[in-house]
Amino acid sequence: MQRRDFLGLLLSTSLLAVAGRASAAPRIGIALGGGGAKGLAHIPILELLDEAGLRPHRIAGTSIGAIIGVLYASGMKGQDIRELLNRLTVSKEESWFESLFSEDLGRWLDFAEFGVGNGGLADSSGLIAYLHEYIGAERFEQLAIPLSVVATDFWSREQVVLQSGELWSALKASIAIPGLFEPVQREGRLLVDGGLVNPVPYDLLFDECDLVIAVDVLGERTAESAEGPGYFETIFNTFQIMQHSIMREKLRQREPDIYLKPAIENVRVLEFYKIDEIYAQAQGEKERLKRLIRRDISPSIR
């Protein structure tokens, strides 16, 4: 049996079990994974859930998945998130000088301002403050959908799941890619990027959800030149080699009910200007999810 056929059968089995209970609809959990700019591929998936009228019961996110997750959990629609993040991307052909005429893009440059001596080259505070303006929530408890954010304890090397209390330091910790963003102090722990321990945290959703959807946006990389990768490409791709290994082991232990892996190729961690290309590469998995939803949950979806 093909893997995708198996996942479709698994989805049908899950929904039959739910139908046997008094519950009117399955409690859907969605896990949004890490991957830098490739995380923009989460947005078409969330737009499809909106089209189908499906509201997740819980969301779990790592790194960029935590950023997209908090926007969605706040009550924003997928289309709203697309429009917001479109304003934060810069075309490869557009000069940084020209981009300064956009207030939103000017704030993105503030976010990317480089510094030295704090365990990272850049400070994510500007990005976090920008998102805060659009959401307004201060604490996890104020979100419309429960959210779990994954970070990593730098010293104990353990997963830390943040799902209550102050919201924004949790997000800042989850995106703290080692060497790029400085670690975050929270509740006596020094925290860094959650992708180091749990790139797609679907395992956090099994206990409270009937149907778990995992979105893996790590993508694929191929050799681009005989000269080999540069410094940052070496660092970032090394992290992603590790994350691929973690995902293979997780999938061997237990698979989500639906595993989506958009075919994102040769997009680097910080290449947010490739937003249209990323959306296009996510379309195949969006269409596959639509077929599953039409067959088993919402036949009226077009």
Side-chain angles (χ1 to χ4, degrees):
M1 180 183 291
Q2 293 290 324
R3 174 181 175 78
R4 292 187 175 184
D5 293 337
F6 171 76
L7 289 174
L9 177 62
L10 189 59
L11 172 62
S12 300
T13 303
S14 299
L15 293 172
L16 285 173
V18 173
R21 304 197 316 263
S23 175
R27 297 173 301 172
I28 297 173
I30 185 163
L32 307 177
K38 292 170 286 187
L40 298 173
H42 291 310
I43 296 173
I45 304 301
L46 297 179
E47 290 175 332
L48 178 60
L49 295 183
D50 294 335
E51 293 167 17
L54 298 175
R55 175 187 172 93
H57 178 69
R58 292 195 68 90
I59 301 170
T62 292
S63 199
I64 187 67
I67 294 292
I68 304 295
V70 74
L71 294 171
Y72 201 64
S74 74
M76 294 180 70
K77 299 294 187 181
Q79 181 63 38
D80 298 329
I81 298 172
R82 181 190 289 254
E83 292 172 2
L84 172 62
L85 296 184
N86 281 351
R87 293 196 296 270
L88 283 175
T89 59
V90 180
S91 167
K92 188 175 183 180
E93 289 75 31
E94 180 182 22
S95 75
W96 289 107
F97 178 79
E98 291 172 337
S99 75
L100 287 171
F101 288 100
S102 164
E103 180 181 2
D104 290 347
L105 289 172
R107 294 181 186 182
W108 179 265
L109 294 179
D110 289 339
F111 140 69
E113 183 177 353
F114 287 96
V116 179
N118 295 314
L121 293 175
D123 182 3
S124 61
S125 297
L127 172 62
I128 296 299
Y130 175 83
L131 298 175
H132 188 186
E133 288 183 21
Y134 279 85
I135 294 176
E138 301 290 344
R139 300 176 64 82
F140 280 90
E141 292 81 2
Q142 295 173 299
L143 297 173
I145 300 172
L147 172 69
S148 298
V149 169
V150 176
T152 303
D153 187 307
F154 182 81
W155 296 115
S156 70
R157 306 171 185 175
E158 296 174 334
Q159 172 177 270
V160 177
V161 180
L162 303 166
Q163 52 193 3
S164 64
E166 197 273 321
L167 178 61
W168 297 101
S169 65
L171 292 177
K172 194 172 181 180
S174 190
I175 67 171
I177 300 172
L180 180 61
F181 298 132
E182 63 183 279
V184 173
Q185 291 279 357
R186 180 183 167 112
E187 299 172 1
R189 295 175 181 263
L190 188 67
L191 303 178
V192 293
D193 194 311
L196 297 174
V197 290
N198 199 345
V200 188
Y202 63 84
D203 50 298
L204 304 182
L205 300 170
F206 287 128
D207 288 345
E208 296 190 41
C209 299
D210 305 307
L211 179 69
V212 173
I213 302 171
V215 189
D216 179 348
V217 294
L218 288 173
E220 304 294 339
R221 298 285 284 124
T222 59
E224 296 181 344
S225 70
E227 298 176 358
Y231 177 79
F232 281 111
E233 175 66 5
T234 299
I235 297 297
F236 295 151
N237 203 46
T238 297
F239 290 148
Q240 295 188 0
I241 291 169
M242 176 193 67
Q243 291 170 334
H244 273 289
S245 297
I246 293 172
M247 283 305 302
R248 282 195 296 269
E249 183 58 31
K250 284 189 64 175
L251 291 168
R252 276 197 291 266
Q253 295 294 322
R254 183 176 179 179
E255 294 187 343
D257 300 305
I258 301 177
Y259 176 57
L260 303 175
K261 188 175 183 180
I264 306 170
E265 297 183 353
N266 293 324
V267 175
R268 298 181 182 181
V269 169
L270 299 179
E271 289 183 327
F272 286 89
Y273 65 84
K274 291 185 176 181
I275 187 168
D276 292 332
E277 180 180 334
I278 295 165
Y279 288 154
Q281 292 176 329
Q283 195 63 28
E285 288 294 75
K286 176 182 177 179
E287 291 300 318
R288 183 166 73 90
L289 180 59
K290 180 186 290 188
R291 291 193 294 271
L292 292 173
I293 290 174
R294 181 186 295 124
R295 187 187 70 190
D296 296 308
I297 305 178
S298 180
S300 62
I301 185 175
R302 295 182 177 181

